[in-house]
Amino acid sequence: MSMWMILPVSLPALTITGIWVVYAMALYNQHVCPVDNWLYNQSCEEELPLQSGPILCCTLDNVPLISKCGTLPPESCFFSLICSTGSFMVMVIVLLRYAHVIEKHQNCVLNTASLSTGWICAAGLIMVGNFQVDYAKVLHYVGAGVAFPTSMLFVCLQSALTYRLAKTQGDYFMAHMRVGMSLLAFVALVLSGVFFVQESFVLQHASAIFEWVFCVIIMLFYGTFAFEFSTVTSNTLMVLAKGGAQSTSHQDKMEGLGTANQHPPESMTML
């Protein structure tokens, strides 16, 4: 069993724990309201960090969106670190998955498209983490507009790719599970986007909850790559060193040699 399987398991463990720590820090510093709070006001006499008491006056600036939780220091520093580290891990996982598919099977359009969308998603995630929404709103929303759709597209492509390459019962089970996770993530993303643009305080709070659900599902999806990464070897890394096209050509040549050995020339048969 390869040690590389620790990588996809570490990504959700790090990111999910990290964003909940960011939420806890923001809640402790009264920068956001808790997720179980559904009562918001148009305005408050005092800003949330200056209030005290069991009952807090919350406005839409205090909705516990993931980005809002990581807007103000000190939690903003930790949020940037989590996003940057997570982005790097996503890039490595996507690249290893790309090489693993070429090594075990062959390259295809789905595999190449997954690599592209995965890396674009990582770039958007870096922008989300390092450009806080209250101080660089345009760049933050550009990053979110890149990261969220491409992450959804990535899990859909990987689900289709898993079905295409499935051969054993375990492969099909993994494909079924990934499709289920992709459907749940799609519903959460759509509801989060639809509720976010509404004027209702309740719906905007629901948008924050669905955003959390979407991000958790996506990170858990990356964790399922431990199933394939258990067979990653040094040969998988050699695929990257040689290039996918070369590896595929080499595989085709080997298959051609195998076919030639199974069917010797007619002159040899006559002898």
Side-chain angles (χ1 to χ4, degrees), residues 10 13 63 66 72 100 111 128 136 164 171 264:
S10 300
V63 176
I66 297 178
L72 298 175
H100 181 266
N111 194 33
V128 168
R164 179 173 180 177
D171 294 337

Side-chain angles (χ1 to χ4, degrees), residues 1-6 226-227 229-233:
M1 185 174 296
S2 174
M3 295 295 292
W4 283 104
M5 67 180 298
I6 298 177
F227 177 76
F229 282 24
S230 61
T231 59
V232 168
T233 62

